Amino acid sequence: MALEHNRDRHDPAIARHLADRITRTNKRPIRLMEVCGTHTVSIFRSGIRSLLPDTVSLLSGPGCPVCVTAQKEIDAFIKLTREPDTMVATFGDLIRVPGSGSSLQREKADGADVRIVYSTFDALALARQHPDKRVVFLGVGFETTAPTVAAAILAASQEGLKNFFVISAHKIVPPALTALATGKINIDGFLLPGHVSVIIGVDAYRPFFKAHQVPCVVAGFEPTDLLQGIAMLVDQIEAGAPALENAYARAVTDAGNVKAVEVMQQVFEVADADWRGIGTIASSGLAIREAYAAFDALNAFDITMQPVPEPKGCACGEILTGVKIPPQCPLYKTVCNPMAPVGPCMVSSEGTCAAYYRYHSTNKI
Ligand code: SF4
């Protein structure tokens, strides 16, 4: 069933049909992982878990960029706020993430110049407006965000701006799938992220699929999109016929957004990256190329990233890899809640702990 029209994506009859198809087809316990944080929130908000048979489990993966940002990266962001004549520009989700001894929010309250922006280009505008300040944009995100950050660096380069910098903690999704597929948890199928796939296209997953032969379906964000993606995964699993399929063809092509990928690759090169809970994944991050080193905050500031332990008792790492669910964390709802978060999974609007906290009473866990 193709969901080509808007009315299809909101049609309860289609949702019911897809849920029935999943129930009819499913014969054994299976574990699916939705890799994307936006999928996690959409699944909870729409109550999809309650429509699935008990034998189909949904695990939330490492698809919330704030959540997978390593503790040492958060600490480096906080150190930047203490540099003289420096303004730090960040997306709002990051501001409350606890570092080892502080947070961006606490530094701001103590007088640091921390600005919340909605786009990298807002940070660029701040650099133009404040030539006496060094403006650092905190680059956190996946392939969805990185092209815009790259475009801002290109614009700064063309304008000859000398006071705009980016600290790149960007991460890319396909290498993380390999880490998950070879990790502690047996995952029967992956619901692949919609937004990231708009940029990188279905072809970007082919090497992973070829190597691991795990059922994979790219899915959109409406409830029927998600149910269709789950139904396609269940079909593949029950038939013993793994495939890489696209349930979001109205937005995702095989090649992706070629121009956006070109811009991203012009400015960034692939590098190893540390993921919270997973550790270092080879070739899973984006570093600023030498040609644009003048805009790299790691060159312009005396900032080093030292490995630091994650918050004591916080199980974010295990939650991001599907090993645990939030109620299995002893701090969940006891000392950790959205008003007093211990880890980033409770801070971010796309975090799994925040989604459980907000929606668990209306969902099957
Ligand atoms: Fe970390 Fe809080 Fe989630 Fe526990 S409930 S894993 S402490 S964010």
Side-chain angles (χ1 to χ4, degrees), residues 313-316 319 326 329 331-333 336 342-346 353:
C314 173
C316 271
I319 284 162
C329 170
L331 306 188
Y332 175 72
K333 283 190 163 181
C336 182
V342 175
C345 303
M346 188 61 93
C353 298

Side-chain angles (χ1 to χ4, degrees), residues 276-299:
R276 187 183 295 261
I278 301 178
T280 303
I281 304 178
S283 305
S284 69
L286 294 173
I288 296 173
R289 288 185 186 276
E290 188 60 33
Y292 299 96
F295 303 97
D296 190 341
L298 290 177
N299 288 333

Side-chain angles (χ1 to χ4, degrees), residues 3-21:
L3 303 176
E4 292 171 356
H5 305 291
N6 273 328
R7 65 176 182 276
D8 293 341
R9 303 200 293 274
H10 301 280
D11 187 335
I14 292 179
R16 173 50 63 194
H17 168 84
L18 287 165
D20 289 347
R21 173 177 144 194

